[in-house]
């Protein structure tokens, strides 16, 4: 019993949750007590809540985010408005996250060949608008002469990453949401330490909130003691604020500027099925070799500058130096919660709206706003074969209930839903018509589209897309299709509970 208690106290997630709950309880108790003692405080809090509700109605936020807050404020007018000031999407809270500095505009002049945006537009004109949108909003262009490799499971990407890291001669950049000691990370860390001793520049950035349950709070200092430049992104400080939601959910690995990895795979043993938590862990990733890696390098450098305030004035030495033969085009990109542009969701929308035959999506979480529901249902009702694969075994039961609450509306419109029976599907992909696909870190949920720092690689044309398609079809073969019989088996009380949870889904 004592050991369990010690373990619980040492868990930063537990301690942080307790501190946040205590702060919230103190705020509620203080406001309630003061309001009962001084009626003018009660009136002022109620007036504040009314003003915030009116402001929310007029605000250009996504309705899926505004409605839960409006409901909470109306239910608890005394402290609902104050809680929105603490946790809501207010200009003050957003400015606190933006305070560091603006992201520098990338410079790709040192890349051995120019971007291939015009060539891609000529070869695949249907996707010109989407590619131009990404370039305009995130300054990440399309590249050719880049070899691509698709990894249908984490084990294969892990082996390729080890080989790539062993080949490093100049630098290694790694940016991940989760790092956890074990076979995967320990193996990679041994290589990184060896490369530091050989004179390589090694930089590692990890999300502090994502690693609450996996790393001690001073792990960055330990890495620095090994000669690795290490940074914790958005250090977790358990106070009532909204920028704790802005997590670095990206997964990027760059070696010498010529090799880059991206996808859903974090650096923990469940991602390579060395640790079994929720059945077989199905994840995916992609490797780029050539000029296309320049976008990944720029993304990493921008985030490092944003986090540390350091400036890289010699960025040219991190740019690719080789070209590789490739039969398609690539466009790695990022999405940031610090602006009013939902790049990730818009990229998905472009693909769905331009589909002519099919759209296949894999996602661990399915929490959709009205715009995405409309895009998916209209596509299905227009004769497009729309299929979505979600996990058969959940990692978060509450979120899983919300995910399932969207099935019926999509199913009635003709969208085919599948659940991966062997275990947990963590892959985050969308592909369409054998000529476009995205492999990245974005879930089909509110957090990924609106709150997190995310990234993905768009693949235009090429044989790699056929490999992705074949893998998705194989995954469907291992999945159960949701049908009318499945809906009849769902208890009506569970269905009602899920619908209520769905109202507050953007806050989960």
């Amino acid at each position: 019993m004592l050991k369990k208690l010690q373990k619980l106290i040492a868990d930063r997630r537990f301690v942080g949750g307790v501190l946040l709950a205590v702060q919230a309880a103190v705020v509620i108790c203080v406001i309630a007590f003061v309001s009962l003692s001084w009626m003018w405080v009660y009136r002022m809090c109620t007036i504040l809540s009314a003003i915030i509700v009116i402001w929310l109605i007029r605000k250009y936020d996504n309705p899926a985010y505004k409605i839960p807050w409006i409901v909470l404020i109306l239910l608890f007018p005394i402290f609902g408005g104050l809680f929105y000031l603490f946790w809501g999407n207010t200009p003050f809270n957003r400015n606190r996250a933006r305070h560091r500095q603006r992201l520098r505009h990338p410079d790709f002049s040192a890349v051995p060949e120019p971007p291939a945006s015009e060539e891609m537009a000529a070869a695949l004109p249907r996707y010109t608008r989407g590619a131009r949108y990404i370039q305009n909003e995130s300054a990440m262009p399309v590249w050719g002469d880049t070899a691509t490799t698709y990894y249908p499971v984490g084990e294969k990407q892990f082996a390729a990453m080890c080989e790539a890291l062993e080949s490093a001669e100049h630098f290694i950049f790694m940016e991940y949401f989760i790092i956890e000691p074990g076979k995967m990370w320990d193996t990679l860390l041994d290589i990184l330490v060896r490369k530091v001793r050989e004179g390589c520049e090694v930089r590692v950035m990890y999300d502090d909130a994502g690693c609450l349950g996996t790393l001690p709070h001073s792990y960055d200092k330990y890495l620095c003691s090994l000669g690795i430049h290490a940074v914790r992104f958005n250090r977790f400080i358990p106070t009532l604020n909204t920028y704790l939601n802005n997590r670095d959910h990206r997964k990027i690995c760059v070696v010498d500027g010529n090799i880059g990895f991206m996808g859903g795979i974090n650096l923990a043993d469940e991602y390579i099925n060395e640790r079994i938590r929720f059945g077989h862990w199905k994840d995916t990733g992609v490797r780029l070799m050539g000029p296309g890696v320049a976008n990944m390098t720029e993304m990493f450098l921008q985030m490092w500058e944003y986090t540390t305030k350091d400036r890289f004035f010699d960025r040219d030495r991190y740019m690719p130096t080789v070209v590789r033969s490739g039969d398609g085009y690539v466009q790695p990109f990022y999405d940031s919660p610090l602006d009013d542009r939902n790049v990730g969701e818009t990229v998905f929308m472009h693909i769905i709206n331009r589909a002519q035959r099919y759209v296949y999506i894999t996602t661990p979480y399915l929490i959709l706003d009205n715009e995405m529901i409309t895009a998916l249902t209209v596509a299905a009702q227009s004769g497009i074969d729309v299929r979505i694969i979600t996990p058969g075994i959940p990692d978060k039961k509450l979120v899983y209930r919300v995910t399932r609450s969207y099935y019926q509306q999509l199913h009635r419109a003709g969208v085919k839903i599948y659940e991966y029976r062997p275990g947990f599907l963590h892959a985050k992909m969308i592909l369409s018509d054998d000529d476009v696909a995205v492999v990245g870190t974005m879930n089909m949920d509110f957090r990924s589209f609106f709150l997190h720092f995310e990234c993905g690689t768009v693949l235009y044309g090429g044989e790699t897309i056929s490999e992705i398609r074949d893998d998705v079809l194989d995954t469907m073969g291992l999945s159960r299709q949701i049908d009318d019989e499945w809906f009849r088996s769902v208890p009506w009380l569970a269905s009602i509970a899920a619908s209520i949870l769905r109202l507050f889904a953007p806050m989960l």
Side-chain angles (χ1 to χ4, degrees):
M1 183 67 179
L2 183 60
K3 288 184 177 179
K4 288 184 178 179
L5 183 60
Q6 291 174 339
K7 185 178 180 181
L8 202 60
I9 294 174
D11 190 328
R12 289 202 294 155
R13 291 173 298 181
F14 173 76
V15 174
V18 169
L19 290 175
L20 288 172
V22 169
Q23 291 176 65
V26 169
V27 171
I28 291 173
C29 291
V30 169
I31 294 173
F33 176 78
V34 172
S35 298
L36 290 174
S37 301
W38 293 284
M39 188 56 63
W40 66 268
V41 175
Y42 176 88
R43 293 194 184 99
M44 290 296 295
C45 289
T46 304
I47 292 171
L48 174 64
S49 292
I51 291 172
I52 290 177
V53 167
I54 295 171
W55 182 69
L56 277 169
I57 293 171
R58 292 172 53 84
K59 200 168 181 284
Y60 293 127
D61 268 347
N62 190 292
Y65 178 76
K66 294 195 296 185
I67 291 173
W69 274 112
I70 292 173
V71 171
L72 284 175
I73 293 171
L74 292 177
L75 287 174
F76 307 103
I78 302 176
F79 49 82
L82 288 174
F83 267 53
Y84 180 77
L85 292 180
F86 282 126
W87 277 324
N89 185 24
T90 67
F92 173 73
N93 285 330
R94 296 183 72 174
N95 286 334
R96 293 174 71 185
R98 289 171 172 164
H99 75 281
R100 295 181 176 90
Q101 59 196 25
R102 291 181 179 272
L103 297 179
R104 182 187 297 192
H105 193 81
D107 179 9
F108 298 109
S109 59
V111 180
E113 64 174 44
S117 301
E118 294 184 4
E119 291 89 333
M120 191 282 288
L124 295 164
R126 186 151 50 110
Y127 301 112
T128 302
R129 287 180 58 192
R132 189 185 301 126
Y133 170 82
I134 293 173
Q135 185 160 352
N136 290 342
E137 296 302 325
S138 65
M140 296 294 157
V142 177
W143 298 92
D145 291 330
T146 300
T148 58
T149 304
Y150 172 68
Y151 299 105
V153 288
E155 297 90 313
K156 292 188 176 181
Q157 179 171 311
F158 173 50
M161 286 178 64
C162 290
E163 182 181 353
L165 293 176
E166 291 283 11
S167 71
E169 297 180 353
H170 305 293
F171 68 89
I172 295 169
F173 295 158
M174 304 187 78
E175 177 184 349
Y176 284 87
F177 180 59
I178 294 174
I179 294 176
E180 182 174 17
K183 178 180 178 180
M184 186 180 192
W185 173 240
D186 292 348
T187 301
L188 296 174
L189 183 58
D190 287 344
I191 300 174
L192 297 180
V193 172
R194 199 172 342 112
K195 287 300 170 179
V196 167
R197 292 171 182 164
E198 293 174 6
C200 281
E201 175 186 344
V202 178
R203 296 181 183 271
V204 174
M205 178 163 36
Y206 62 89
D207 185 84
D208 200 32
C211 295
L212 278 178
T214 62
L215 296 177
H217 77 279
S218 59
Y219 193 74
D220 55 332
K221 294 180 181 179
Y222 168 70
L223 292 179
C224 289
S225 72
L226 300 176
I228 297 171
H229 302 277
V231 171
R232 280 188 286 160
F233 178 83
N234 202 358
R235 295 190 178 192
F236 178 75
I237 302 172
T239 56
L240 298 179
N241 58 68
T242 188
Y243 60 81
L244 284 177
N245 280 322
N246 301 143
R247 301 169 187 169
D248 184 1
H249 195 242
R250 311 191 319 183
K251 293 96 179 170
I252 297 173
C253 176
V254 176
V255 178
D256 289 344
N258 294 317
I259 304 173
F261 295 88
M262 187 181 288
I265 301 163
N266 282 298
L267 307 182
D269 281 357
E270 60 261 35
Y271 294 86
I272 58 172
N273 287 292
E274 282 291 324
R275 178 189 178 199
I276 305 302
R277 296 182 63 197
F278 311 105
H280 181 266
W281 193 289
K282 167 67 175 175
D283 221 324
T284 60
V286 64
R287 180 186 68 185
L288 307 186
M289 300 179 69
V293 181
N295 289 14
M296 294 188 189
T297 302
E298 272 293 343
M299 282 187 256
F300 180 89
L301 294 176
Q302 285 181 347
M303 189 64 87
W304 190 279
E305 289 184 343
Y306 173 78
T307 304
T308 65
K309 300 183 182 179
D310 294 335
R311 285 288 191 181
F312 291 91
F313 295 101
D314 54 350
R315 300 165 91 93
D316 289 357
R317 70 188 183 94
Y318 298 116
M319 290 297 106
T321 58
V322 303
V323 297
R324 301 286 186 184
S325 59
D327 57 353
Y329 303 90
V330 298
Q331 190 176 24
F333 69 97
Y334 70 89
D335 194 1
S336 166
L338 304 183
D339 53 38
D340 296 315
R341 299 178 293 277
N342 305 318
V343 177
E345 184 179 39
T346 304
V347 169
F348 278 45
M349 294 273 221
H350 272 292
I351 293 174
I352 295 168
N353 292 336
R354 279 157 183 74
Q356 296 178 348
R357 293 186 292 118
Y358 75 82
V359 174
Y360 297 160
I361 296 170
T362 65
T363 180
Y365 314 116
L366 193 69
I367 301 177
L368 310 175
D369 60 12
N370 187 65
E371 289 79 3
M372 183 58 73
I373 292 173
T374 301
L376 291 168
T377 55
V378 168
Q381 291 164 344
S382 302
I384 306 301
D385 182 11
V386 182
R387 305 185 190 187
I388 302 174
I389 312 176
T390 63
I393 300 176
D395 67 333
K396 301 178 180 67
K397 292 184 178 180
L398 195 65
V399 178
Y400 191 56
R401 289 181 180 273
V402 180
T403 288
R404 285 181 155 187
S405 74
Y406 289 87
Y407 286 1
Q408 190 166 58
Q409 184 176 2
L410 295 171
H411 175 74
R412 286 178 175 176
V415 177
K416 301 180 182 68
I417 310 291
Y418 298 81
E419 288 187 345
Y420 180 65
R421 289 181 297 180
F424 183 63
L425 180 137
H426 192 255
K428 306 123 184 323
M429 303 190 298
I430 181 172
L431 69 150
S432 176
D433 295 350
D434 293 351
D435 53 19
V436 67
V438 178
V439 180
T441 67
M442 291 162 289
N443 303 313
M444 293 280 285
D445 67 1
F446 191 90
R447 283 196 166 275
S448 279
F449 286 150
F450 296 94
L451 298 178
H452 288 175
F453 292 87
E454 303 280 359
C455 63
T457 295
V458 188
L459 306 167
Y460 303 99
E463 187 59 31
T464 300
I465 295 177
S466 299
E467 296 176 14
I468 297 173
R469 178 205 60 210
D470 293 344
D471 179 47
V472 171
L473 291 174
D474 289 342
T475 304
M476 288 179 192
L478 297 172
S479 305
R480 174 185 176 176
Q481 184 173 355
I482 302 302
D483 53 19
D484 293 336
E485 181 182 351
W486 184 91
F487 288 108
R488 286 193 292 269
S489 69
V490 178
W492 66 274
L493 280 176
S495 179
I496 292 173
S499 297
I500 295 172
L501 283 172
R502 179 171 162 177
L503 175 64
F504 300 98
M507 296 180 176
L508 296 178

